[in-house]
Structures are given as structure tokens and as C-alpha cells.
Amino acid sequence: MTDRKEWNSWKWQFANRITTAEELDRVLHLSPSEKDNISCCLKNFRMAITPYYASLMDPEDPDCPIRRQAVPSILETVRGEFDLDDPLGEVRYNPVPYVVQRYPDRALLLVTLKCSMYCRHCTRRRVVGENEEFIIPQPALDVALDYIRRHTEIRDVLISGGDPFVLPTDRLEHIISSVRAIEHVEIIRIGTRVPVVMPMRIDKELTDMLRKYHPLWVNTHFNHPKELTPEAVRACEALADAGIPLGNQTVLLKGINDSTPVMKELLLKLVKARVRPYYIFQCDLSVGISHFRVPVQTGIDIMHDLIGNISGYAVPKYAVDAPGGGGKVPLNYNYIVSKDDRELTLETYTGRLYKYPVR
């Protein structure tokens, strides 16, 4: 029996993650075939589920949207026709170890390969979870920092991994303070799913440390409204109260959030929790996750349904991260019905047509 103090300790949550089919069976009462399938998947892709996130699963529903994001499926062993080992071209745009620069003014700094939970739709699954002991060593960090220091065009550094928030606070502070010491770096961002899967990590020690390094932004990763529990909302509010702007990056996932009502509920709950919806991403072409992908038109239709029906600040961008490292490409419904030298014919969200001069 776990007491409340243990349950609310992020270190206890991390240490007691579910990592095997046998452990998961105690939560979900798996059939023998399900246990065999999970064990088969784990030969290629690691599993780790925090007790907190496991508590959100419906043990009777195999299609539970929380469960499907965390529990391996035998479909992960299928390599889809368009699957790529490195869908975002991070190896190609890797000038020094642990730095990725795909854009002129931004760089990605990868500081760990471990997460509190290994999402089944992970883009970086080729390496994440491979070595749970890995934290960027000081010599490699020095090389990465020197690269950023020499490239004065880099004004924005995204610290990611893995998940930076699973690092000890003092180690994370060392990394953040080292980046902040570079004069031309204006913005530091941290990408994390911790507020979703291990919200107790967002404690006073962490927020007191983070508030010293503004301007600093945090990007979260909520995919379904059921993830916005009171604990998760408290974590987001603690970050916001520390003066940290929050954005959310959602991945469009088949059977989880690929409908307008679910997406609308998610977005409205996010803004209520003081998190700005930032992106909805088309699911990347990572190996073994083709069963999560939906047609691009589905995403465009959802965006069309949202416009005009919720406030503009609650509407994210819908984008594809172009395979091979091409960067983010926004996808939009075309509201320009026709155009000539004199005027545009525009369609509103209600479907009515209006004329507007081109000049």
C-alpha cells in the first residue's frame, strides 16, 4: 500500500515505473496473448509508465486513450511503407554531438535519453530509452556550448532529450545556466511531458530554480483532455506562477484525439490551465507507429471545424514536420475560393462567401 507522501514524490514515481508485462498485468489484468505481445514489442522499444499515469488508464477498455499512449501494441513491430529511422533528419543536421540545428536561428540541445514515460508514438524512439543512465557528460556539454557560442545567429535554444525534467535539479540548473551565460541566446525553451505523466516533479525546488533564468519557456505535450487532471493542472499553474509561458504541442493520433469534439475539449482545458495551444503535429514517420497516423485531410478538417467555434488564442497551428529535416510546414484549410486582379472571394467559417479587394 503506497502512502500519499510516497505517491506525491516524483523520485518515488520515477523509481517505481512499470517496465515489464508482468508489472503491467497487476494494473490491467492482461490476457496471456497481450502479455506475449508486449514482451515481443519490448525487444525493440522500451516501456516505462509512471504509477500516476497508469492510474489514469481504464483497465477494462483496451481502447482507452491514456492506455494506448503508454502500453505497447504488437503493431509497433510492423514497419510501415513510409517509416523512417530518423524521420526529422536529426542525424543529418547534427553539427556536433547532442546539438541539432535545422533552422537558421534555433538549436536543439539533447541532454538525456531518459523519460519518465516512453510514449508509444515517440518521434525519437530510435534512441530515447536506449540508455537510462545517460546525461550529457561535461566534455560533450562543453563542445555543444562552444558550438552555440561560436554561432551567434542562434538566439533560441530548445533543451530536450529524452525529458530534461527527469534530471536532478542541480544538474538541470547547470545546463540551463551554462546556456543562459551565452550572450546572444535570447530565449531558452524546455520540451517536457513531465506535467502530463509525472506532475509531482513540478515542485517548488524546480520552479524556484527555473525562475532565475528568464526569459524561459516550457513546451508541454498533452494529447487528450483526460490528461488534464487536477494534478496536471496544478503543475502547469505552478510553472505559470513562476512567470514561465507555457505552450502545448499535441500529436494527432488515430483513435485518441482525431475528432473535433475531443480536440476542442483538449484545447479549451489547456487555455483554462494557462497553457497556450502551440502546435498540432501530424504524426511523424518513425518506425513502428504507422497505426497512429491519420490522413492529413483529417487534421485539416479538424482545424476548419475549430476556426470560429473557439477563441483564436485557443487554436494551434497544424503542421507536418517535413521528412528528412525540412522543418515544420503549416497545413491550413484554403479560405480563398477564387482570386482575380481586382478581388478575392473568401469563405468564412460559416461557409458564407465575401468579396475583398486585393489592394
Side-chain angles (χ1 to χ4, degrees):
M1 187 75 175
T2 304
D3 64 31
R4 183 172 293 275
K5 184 176 181 181
E6 280 187 328
W7 182 264
N8 289 326
S9 162
W10 73 270
K11 293 178 181 178
W12 182 90
Q13 288 280 337
F14 191 86
N16 287 276
R17 292 174 304 159
I18 297 165
T19 60
T20 67
E22 290 72 25
E23 292 171 339
L24 188 61
D25 185 41
R26 296 175 203 148
V27 177
L28 298 181
H29 312 299
L30 302 169
S31 69
S33 63
E34 286 176 313
K35 283 196 281 189
D36 288 345
N37 288 344
I38 289 169
S39 296
C40 181
C41 292
L42 296 185
K43 294 176 183 176
N44 297 313
F45 302 114
R46 191 184 183 100
M47 175 178 71
I49 309 169
T50 59
Y52 162 81
Y53 198 75
S55 75
L56 307 183
M57 298 178 188
D58 184 338
E60 308 304 325
D61 181 9
D63 293 322
C64 165
I66 305 299
R67 180 170 169 167
R68 290 192 59 225
Q69 292 182 69
V71 176
S73 162
I74 195 62
L75 295 174
E76 292 180 40
T77 63
V78 178
R79 187 178 182 112
E81 179 183 359
F82 303 106
D83 288 2
L84 300 170
D85 292 317
D86 179 21
L88 303 186
E90 291 182 338
V91 173
R92 178 182 175 188
Y93 292 95
N94 181 212
V96 298
Y98 313 114
V99 172
V100 178
Q101 188 178 6
R102 293 191 296 149
Y103 298 97
D105 69 335
R106 278 152 284 170
L108 174 66
L109 176 60
L110 303 174
V111 298
T112 182
L113 296 179
K114 61 183 174 181
C115 292
S116 45
M117 186 181 89
Y118 295 116
C119 304
R120 306 325 301 172
H121 56 278
C122 181
T123 290
R124 208 169 284 136
R125 67 203 323 249
R126 73 187 188 280
V127 291
V128 168
E130 199 174 73
N131 179 0
E132 283 239 319
E133 302 305 313
F134 177 80
I135 299 174
I136 187 169
Q138 188 60 47
L141 179 61
D142 289 340
V143 171
L145 293 169
D146 182 63
Y147 175 85
I148 296 168
R149 200 175 290 114
R150 287 186 290 107
H151 288 262
T152 56
E153 74 276 11
I154 297 174
R155 50 167 293 278
D156 182 336
V157 174
L158 172 59
I159 299 174
S160 187
D163 195 316
F165 279 176
V166 302
L167 299 185
T169 303
D170 58 349
R171 181 61 178 156
L172 179 60
E173 178 168 20
H174 173 68
I175 294 168
I176 294 172
S177 64
S178 298
V179 175
R180 174 52 68 218
I182 300 174
E183 187 175 346
H184 57 85
V185 174
E186 299 172 5
I187 301 295
I188 297 174
R189 290 181 290 158
I190 298 174
T192 180
R193 190 141 153 85
V194 154
V196 185
V197 301
M198 195 172 65
M200 47 287 295
R201 171 63 177 112
I202 312 302
D203 56 17
K204 189 174 185 300
E205 179 191 45
L206 180 65
T207 55
D208 283 352
M209 181 275 285
L210 293 174
R211 70 168 71 237
K212 294 190 287 186
Y213 299 102
H214 288 309
L216 186 144
W217 295 60
V218 167
N219 287 333
T220 62
H221 181 179
F222 289 90
N223 287 326
H224 194 275
K226 286 185 177 180
E227 294 174 330
L228 280 153
T229 63
E231 294 89 347
V233 170
R234 182 213 59 80
C236 293
E237 290 177 342
L239 289 166
D241 287 345
I244 299 168
L246 299 170
N248 188 73
Q249 301 183 153
T250 294
V251 178
L252 189 60
L253 300 168
K254 183 183 291 185
I256 292 172
N257 58 16
D258 58 333
S259 72
T260 301
V262 171
M263 193 62 75
K264 181 178 178 180
E265 183 184 357
L266 170 65
L267 300 176
L268 292 177
K269 283 189 171 183
L270 283 168
V271 294
K272 189 176 178 182
R274 297 153 68 186
V275 181
R276 174 73 186 270
Y278 181 32
Y279 275 112
I280 296 174
F281 282 119
Q282 180 69 9
C283 194
D284 290 326
L285 302 179
S286 301
V287 174
I289 64 172
S290 60
H291 58 289
F292 280 125
R293 289 197 287 274
V294 300
V296 169
Q297 188 61 47
T298 298
I300 293 173
D301 291 343
I302 289 172
M303 294 302 296
H304 181 244
D305 292 342
L306 292 173
I307 297 296
N309 289 301
I310 62 174
S311 300
Y313 60 77
V315 180
K317 300 173 186 175
Y318 175 47
V320 164
D321 220 329
K328 299 174 185 67
V329 180
L331 304 174
N332 298 297
Y333 183 86
N334 188 3
Y335 290 93
I336 300 176
V337 176
S338 64
K339 175 182 177 182
D340 58 29
D341 293 340
R342 187 167 178 273
E343 62 187 7
L344 303 174
T345 301
L346 303 175
E347 177 188 343
T348 68
Y349 79 97
T350 63
R352 297 184 66 182
L353 301 181
Y354 290 83
K355 303 290 186 180
Y356 192 85
V358 295
R359 293 186 179 85

